[in-house]
Amino acid sequence: MILGQVVLNGFLVGAVYALFSSGLTLIWGMMNVVNFAHGDFVMIAMYVAFVVFTALHLGPAVFVPLAAVLLFLLGVLVYFSLVRHVMRGPMLAQILGTFGLALVLRYATLWVFSANFVSLPDNLLGPVVTVAGLRLEPSRVVAGLAALTLTIGLHLLLTRTALGSRLLAVAEDRNAAMLVGIRPDPMQALAWGIGAACTGVAGALIALFFYISPTVGESLALIAFVVVCLGGFGSVPGALVAGLLIGVIESLSAFWIGPANKDVVVFILFLAVLWFRPQGLLGKA
Amino acid sequence: MTIGRRPLLAAPALLLAGRAFAQGAAQGTPIKVGSLMPLTGVAASAGNSAKAALELAVELINTPQPDLAAMPLMATAGFPAIGGRPLQLVMADQQGNPSVAQNQALRLITQERVVALTGAYQSGLTLTASAIAERHGIPFVNGESVATNLTERGFQWFFRTTPIGPDIAAIYMEFLQQVRVGGRPVAKIAIVNENTEYGTSIADVIRRTAEGRGVSIALQIPYAANSADVSAQVLQLKEAQPDVVIFISYTSDAILYARTMRAQGYRPPVLIGDNSGFSDDSFVQSAGDIAQGLINRSAFDASRPGSNAFKINALYKTRTGREMDDTTARIMQGFLVACDAINRAGSTQPAAIQAALRATDLKPEQLIMGYRGVKFDAKGQNINASVLLVQLRGRDYVSVYPADTATAQLELPYKGWE
Amino acid sequence: MSASITAPARSAGRLVFAAFVLLALLVWPLLVENVFYQRVGALVMLAALSASAWNLVGGYAGQISIGHVLFFGCGAYASLLGFTWFEWPPIMGAPFGIALSLLLAVLVGLPTLRLKGHYFSMATIALAELARIIVVNSPSLGGGVGISGPAIPRSMADLSFISPLPYYYIFGAVLAVLLLFTWWMGRARMGFYLRAIRGQERAARSLGVPAQRYKLYALLVSAGFTSLAGSLYAAMVGFVDPDSGLGILLSVKMVIVSALGGAGTLFGPLVGAAILVPLEEFTNAAFGGDGTGITYVVYGAIIMLISRYAPGGLAEILARLKAWGARHAR
């Protein structure tokens, strides 16, 4: 029974990882732009949820969409003010620029909200339910469903719509896309907006069960990068699979060989996958 | 030495002093004391709480506080033995980085010309920063770092007021012994510790002390403090069913543990949360309601009206809107001890302050902490440091052990969210 | 300037300029009495040293490693473990740190250098994080608590000085050796090969460049010098723990310093360090005590602005200035 609960918890954490990574999949995985500020986007969304809840006493039905909209705007703003120019330079410039952005976002938040940890009330979506002896937190189940929805949505957007093909064309070759009449800037900006909106949804939902502080994104960002890379560049479903896989493996290894070593297992698995499949789990060769 | 060099600065200060004197404020060139704290990075919340407390301390020292007259420097303005000169705090951010801690220590000593240093929160940073103070011959007073080795280095300029690992482990063991006498099983002890310096060193010393007393630790689970999920640890505990669980955690993981334990429906009979994260007011506000009956180590008992701690906590609360936690209070106590020594030295000469620190002998009623006093041994460790245990009731900690300082009756088992 | 300047005159001018810069670098700390500035100077040299070492792999060969802290940590830990176990002066551990780094560079390089672009970067992060977690979980290596050097210096060999000046010159001397090597390499076959690999690895291979082998050579030299930087750091600070010796932020810093100055250029990392380190220290000195985080808002904003207006690093601005100068000279 305990083992079943361990695996279930692993899936739910994995879903959080997938959710956390969903915006990064689009921006880094598909559009090929490194975003070191990804974790801080999520952190901002968590504060949006916190402010809406504590100041306006409104629940997730309001703050999740609101976070998505605000983060969409932030994404577009970041694209036009920073990323567009940085993309003229080598990949290193993206690291440089988004690293600077991450610090600005993180510490501007600290300035406004102080460094203290805050959180939303426990069980905002209702108490724990027991199904077949397994305990389920509604907030985590919602997060899992959201991860699934966002992944499917992104995948469909990119593979089934004209907009998706245009986005991918720009990511593939900016100049060639221009030759066939696609203006790259609005496309890239849209990709940043959609990617950031995904992180907005993710952050607002994660705020339901996680603590909130200006540095929270920093500690979660690394796993998002591993998730996207393990899943493989160019694959949206890859990140979902990788997220779930990492969640379950972490949970099992934490239970069996101790939580201090769970990331050893994850990183070794990650390196092993790269050894055998240098393009990640579902990435294109 | 600073005054002589800056006659120009002293002149306007004197002009201003005339007006300030009427209000009973301190006068003259300020005497600077430095403090190194983590004001950014993952420990920023602790560092900023400390900053607020130290700023309060400066205000209290620089203006007469008849209400707190039992404590040194409070009844008067500034440093009465040094011509009533005011105290000035110079805060520096050590950014959680051992090298930055040294840079800032060097800057405070050579540029700001502080007469003493306090800080630097994490033991590793206290270690590197105090090495700079030692080389420059500037007193360094630490009120919060618990790593034993800090006072084992043969330093001449390092003083520490806080109780350290062995004191902490001892009180847990004595407490559990009493619980056992009370008829509750405590044979099976589990320790869950975050695996950086704080968690590792406290867990090790508890284990050693327990084994020294013939008690074995049934289960020890070290974990990384920044992990996104702690449910595996909780399930491990749920399966092992220990009688006593001791958590050694920072704020973020303490919040996650309380929530995850409720989500997984797990409550040990006796739950101890060692200080740091569990003392943080953020923990109490975020997760206090679902961690009722949690036992915590503290030496700061603000629950007795009329005590120094009670008054200081009230002042701190008006200032910040938050309760003062034990870590913050220990930092403030270290700072106050440094200031008291400067005054008794009657001079800003480092050697005189060092001598005054060595001669320190403060009594319990002169402190904000519940120590038996402050008196340093040859290594610079406070031999009268002591610890008490508190229990979470509602959103307040009340002191429950040892019996002579307790303000409330111990309630077991752990209630959690009920 | 007029167009009539001849080539020899120009190179003589360059020599004079270089000599002037070198002299300034040697002399300025002696003229400044402020110990804090001297220490910042030493830290500039140290950051320039590790970034220049990174530059061989990340800049010249274009393989963006974000795991170089692995080698830095080898050096730092070897120094202080030598003291902890055998009471050696910390610097005596440096050769062992370098040896371990070279070994790791081979073990790590062979599998990862096959990987392309982001996959390579992520693999290096994973390896460095693995090392960090293993050290955290190994009490014999100091675990999460960390290890320290001699508390009180026993002899000159402990390299424990009150003044930051000796550190400045030691770090500077090692940096000079590394820059000389880099300069030589840039003109030797290896430099051409690495640049070819950075430009178009597949094309370079088809022209017969032994890409794997030369990438590995670059990694070996880079790892050795990064490790030495770690040893020197440990000797100066006298303490290392998993975060300060193996933390991911250190790897990122090497990348940032190089990218800011201009990756793949000889003096880029030095220029980057000379801007970034004082910026970091002085913003912290000015705003750090406020506790509002404004230090990093300013620091981050300046980095962002530089990347926004000079995506190729400050070397790009220099090149633009030169081109502008050349246009107007005519």
Side-chain angles (χ1 to χ4, degrees):
Chain A
M1 196 77 266
I2 288 250
L3 200 60
Q5 186 75 50
V6 171
V7 174
L8 176 69
N9 289 349
F11 263 108
L12 292 174
V13 174
V16 172
Y17 289 161
L19 180 65
F20 193 88
S21 317
S22 57
L24 194 66
T25 324
L26 182 66
I27 291 171
W28 189 42
M30 307 302 294
M31 307 305 286
N32 216 13
V33 182
V34 180
N35 182 12
F36 267 40
H38 175 74
D40 301 278
F41 278 34
V42 178
M43 178 273 295
I44 301 258
M46 291 169 90
Y47 273 99
V48 170
F50 175 72
V51 169
V52 168
F53 183 82
T54 47
L56 309 172
H57 308 288
L58 296 169
V62 177
F63 65 62
V64 174
L66 185 66
V69 172
L70 289 178
L71 268 283
F72 179 91
L73 296 177
L74 179 68
V76 173
L77 177 73
V78 165
Y79 176 76
F80 279 114
S81 57
L82 177 70
V83 176
R84 187 162 68 111
H85 310 278
V86 165
M87 281 171 62
R88 286 190 291 118
M91 195 272 263
L92 281 175
Q94 300 167 10
I95 295 184
L96 195 62
T98 54
F99 179 76
L101 175 69
L103 290 181
V104 170
L105 292 178
R106 193 177 305 156
Y107 286 100
T109 308
L110 188 145
W111 199 354
V112 177
F113 292 98
S114 92
N116 294 326
F117 292 83
V118 293
S119 63
L120 296 180
D122 211 15
N123 289 352
L124 205 58
L125 297 184
V128 173
V129 289
T130 310
V131 181
L134 296 174
R135 299 175 69 93
L136 279 168
E137 259 179 290
S139 52
R140 289 190 181 241
V141 175
V142 169
L145 292 175
L148 197 65
T149 316
L150 284 180
T151 307
I152 295 172
L154 269 183
H155 187 64
L156 291 179
L157 172 79
L158 290 172
T159 52
R160 298 287 154 84
T161 64
L163 179 67
S165 343
R166 276 192 225 148
L167 284 174
L168 290 181
V170 172
E172 191 76 27
D173 191 333
R174 219 179 140 92
N175 292 330
M178 274 161 84
L179 286 178
V180 297
I182 304 172
R183 283 168 56 216
D185 269 339
M187 287 296 124
Q188 296 268 22
L190 195 61
W192 271 79
I194 296 172
C198 290
T199 52
V201 174
L205 286 175
I206 292 170
L208 288 172
F209 52 87
F210 214 66
Y211 58 86
I212 305 168
S213 83
T215 50
V216 64
E218 190 188 9
S219 46
L220 292 177
L222 180 60
I223 207 81
F225 277 85
V226 173
V227 163
V228 173
C229 190
L230 179 62
F233 291 91
S235 166
V236 173
L240 180 66
V241 174
L244 292 175
L245 191 66
I246 289 179
V248 174
I249 287 173
E250 265 193 6
S251 197
L252 282 173
S253 47
F255 186 71
W256 279 326
I257 59 174
N261 286 308
K262 66 181 182 185
D263 285 336
V264 171
V265 180
V266 170
F267 285 125
I268 288 178
L269 172 97
F270 174 59
L271 289 167
V273 168
L274 288 188
W275 172 252
F276 292 108
R277 279 186 69 84
Q279 72 277 31
L281 286 175
L282 301 180
K284 294 176 202 124
Chain B
M1 45 186 228
T2 351
I3 16 167
R5 278 192 201 162
R6 292 183 184 163
L8 285 177
L9 283 180
L14 277 175
L15 285 176
L16 285 175
R19 201 172 40 187
F21 187 69
Q23 298 157 1
Q27 50 183 324
T29 325
I31 293 173
K32 291 178 175 180
V33 176
S35 175
L36 301 158
M37 282 292 144
L39 300 175
T40 53
V42 285
S45 110
N48 282 289
S49 299
K51 177 172 172 277
L54 297 190
E55 283 166 357
L56 173 65
V58 172
E59 196 184 300
L60 296 181
I61 287 177
N62 282 342
T63 50
Q65 303 291 329
D67 203 26
L68 292 163
M71 290 163 66
L73 298 178
M74 290 301 166
T76 50
F79 293 100
I82 321 178
R85 283 168 65 187
L87 164 67
Q88 185 185 341
L89 168 70
V90 188
M91 286 297 297
D93 181 9
Q94 38 87 322
Q95 302 182 334
N97 177 322
S99 171
V100 175
Q102 287 192 334
N103 302 344
Q104 292 301 317
L106 192 65
R107 183 177 69 85
L108 294 187
I109 293 170
T110 61
Q111 281 199 299
E112 296 285 349
R113 308 227 165 250
V114 298
V115 300
L117 276 173
T118 65
Y121 194 70
Q122 293 99 332
S123 295
L125 278 70
T126 305
L127 185 121
T128 59
S130 58
I132 294 283
E134 183 77 14
R135 288 179 207 173
H136 283 83
I138 293 288
F140 195 109
V141 183
N142 169 280
E144 67 280 3
S145 306
V146 294
T148 318
N149 67 345
L150 288 172
T151 38
E152 300 296 326
R153 296 176 293 171
F155 276 18
Q156 299 300 308
W157 298 88
F158 185 75
F159 300 86
R160 172 160 65 178
T161 55
T162 185
I164 56 176
D167 308 322
I168 294 163
I171 193 160
Y172 286 145
M173 289 305 130
E174 285 155 21
F175 167 72
L176 290 178
Q177 173 67 21
Q178 187 206 293
V179 172
R180 193 173 69 94
V181 171
R184 195 167 276 286
V186 296
K188 199 168 177 188
I189 302 174
I191 299 178
V192 184
N193 65 287
E194 66 86 26
N195 66 359
T196 66
E197 158 241 324
Y198 159 62
T200 313
S201 53
I202 298 283
D204 284 351
V205 75
I206 292 178
R207 172 185 280 277
R208 276 203 308 276
T209 311
E211 279 161 4
R213 297 181 181 215
V215 181
S216 69
I217 302 296
L219 183 65
Q220 184 180 350
I221 314 179
Y223 67 93
N226 61 358
S227 58
D229 178 56
V230 297
S231 62
Q233 290 93 293
V234 173
L235 290 175
Q236 242 177 317
L237 292 172
K238 198 175 178 179
E239 195 182 50
Q241 291 293 341
D243 302 316
V244 180
V245 178
I246 304 176
F247 279 104
I248 306 161
S249 306
Y250 286 123
T251 310
S252 53
D253 27 326
I255 295 173
L256 283 188
Y257 274 117
R259 292 191 154 193
T260 308
M261 283 166 71
R262 154 132 105 174
Q264 301 299 335
Y266 172 65
R267 280 181 300 170
V270 179
L271 180 65
I272 297 175
D274 181 81
N275 201 283
S276 179
F278 297 94
S279 298
D280 188 337
D281 196 44
S282 296
F283 168 80
V284 179
Q285 300 306 326
S286 289
D289 297 343
I290 56 171
Q292 290 300 303
L294 172 88
I295 293 158
N296 189 344
R297 174 253 304 185
S298 172
F300 183 66
D301 177 16
S303 61
R304 234 176 323 172
S307 64
N308 292 335
F310 182 86
K311 293 175 198 161
I312 293 280
N313 185 48
L315 290 167
Y316 183 80
K317 202 167 178 183
T318 17
R319 210 180 169 91
T320 62
R322 294 160 55 87
E323 304 275 342
M324 185 181 271
D325 64 40
D326 175 70
T327 314
T328 309
R330 280 185 294 136
I331 292 170
M332 187 170 172
Q333 184 68 73
F335 182 75
L336 290 174
V337 167
C339 294
D340 167 57
I342 294 168
N343 187 53
R344 279 187 292 105
S347 132
T348 53
Q349 289 300 321
I353 300 170
Q354 181 193 35
L357 276 165
R358 285 186 176 145
T360 300
D361 188 5
L362 293 171
K363 301 299 172 207
E365 61 275 12
Q366 295 178 290
L367 308 175
I368 58 171
M369 301 305 293
Y371 301 158
R372 290 189 307 271
V374 176
K375 191 180 170 86
F376 297 109
D377 63 12
K379 293 170 176 173
Q381 171 62 36
N382 177 12
I383 50 171
N384 287 331
S386 58
V387 191
L388 48 98
L389 298 186
V390 292
Q391 191 169 32
L392 190 59
R393 301 275 163 78
R395 288 192 174 181
D396 290 307
Y397 276 113
V398 292
S399 127
V400 292
Y401 184 87
D404 52 332
T405 53
T407 52
Q409 197 71 33
L410 177 71
E411 285 174 11
L412 288 175
Y414 173 69
K415 292 202 193 71
W417 48 93
E418 273 168 18
Chain C
M1 280 224 186
S2 82
S4 61
I5 294 178
T6 54
R10 201 178 298 154
S11 74
R14 232 186 240 180
L15 264 181
V16 170
F17 179 71
F20 176 76
V21 169
L22 190 65
L23 194 71
L25 282 176
L26 280 174
V27 169
W28 80 264
L30 300 173
L31 304 177
V32 176
E33 259 184 61
N34 190 317
V35 207
F36 177 61
Y37 292 169
Q38 293 174 346
R39 170 137 175 142
V40 172
L43 292 172
V44 167
M45 287 298 154
L46 184 69
L49 174 59
S50 48
S52 297
W54 178 89
N55 193 28
L56 291 171
V57 174
Y60 284 89
Q63 310 296 309
I64 314 294
S65 156
I66 313 186
H68 254 55
V69 75
L70 177 63
F71 308 122
F72 186 88
C74 281
Y77 270 91
S79 284
L80 295 187
L81 284 176
F83 169 75
T84 311
W85 292 342
F86 314 113
E87 305 215 329
W88 288 350
I91 201 65
M92 255 181 79
F96 295 90
I98 293 174
L100 181 62
S101 289
L102 295 181
L103 183 70
L104 280 176
V106 174
L107 288 178
V108 163
L110 286 178
T112 56
L113 284 169
R114 304 183 304 138
L115 298 172
K116 290 191 192 73
H118 299 318
Y119 290 110
F120 173 77
S121 303
M122 286 307 302
T124 55
I125 290 185
L127 283 161
E129 277 294 287
L130 261 182
R132 189 185 63 81
I133 298 169
I134 288 169
V135 170
V136 165
N137 292 322
S138 308
S140 58
L141 300 176
V145 180
I147 47 173
S148 41
I152 291 165
R154 303 160 301 173
S155 73
M156 280 290 282
D158 278 341
L159 296 186
S160 190
F161 309 108
I162 294 180
S163 160
L165 282 181
Y167 298 116
Y168 177 84
Y169 290 111
I170 295 171
F171 300 164
V174 179
L175 175 67
V177 173
L178 174 58
L179 289 182
L180 270 177
F181 170 83
T182 312
W183 175 79
W184 167 83
M185 188 202 76
R187 317 188 133 216
R189 183 194 293 173
M190 184 162 164
F192 292 110
Y193 279 0
L194 291 183
R195 277 192 289 268
I197 292 166
R198 179 178 60 181
Q200 262 295 339
E201 182 164 345
R202 215 178 291 170
R205 271 176 207 274
S206 66
L207 290 174
V209 174
Q212 282 308 341
R213 187 142 53 95
Y214 275 88
K215 281 196 281 187
L216 190 61
Y217 290 164
L219 184 64
L220 282 170
V221 181
S222 172
F225 274 97
T226 312
S227 170
L228 186 54
S231 294
L232 293 171
Y233 165 86
M236 177 172 79
V237 174
F239 173 77
V240 66
D241 66 359
D243 268 350
S244 63
L246 288 162
I248 187 170
L249 198 62
L250 279 168
S251 298
V252 175
K253 281 264 169 73
M254 293 181 212
V255 181
I256 300 284
V257 165
S258 304
L260 190 88
T265 61
L266 182 57
F267 292 112
L270 179 58
V271 173
I275 290 172
L276 217 53
V277 173
L279 176 67
E280 206 174 355
E281 294 301 331
F282 295 144
T283 47
N284 189 18
F287 310 114
D290 295 349
T292 48
I294 192 172
T295 315
Y296 281 114
V297 175
V298 173
Y299 175 72
I302 292 176
I303 294 179
M304 229 162 75
L305 286 176
I306 293 176
S307 74
R308 155 81 173 74
Y309 290 102
L314 293 167
E316 182 187 313
I317 294 190
L318 275 184
R320 261 191 256 158
L321 278 179
K322 248 186 211 166
W324 183 85
R327 263 203 315 275
H328 285 254
R330 256 179 233 126

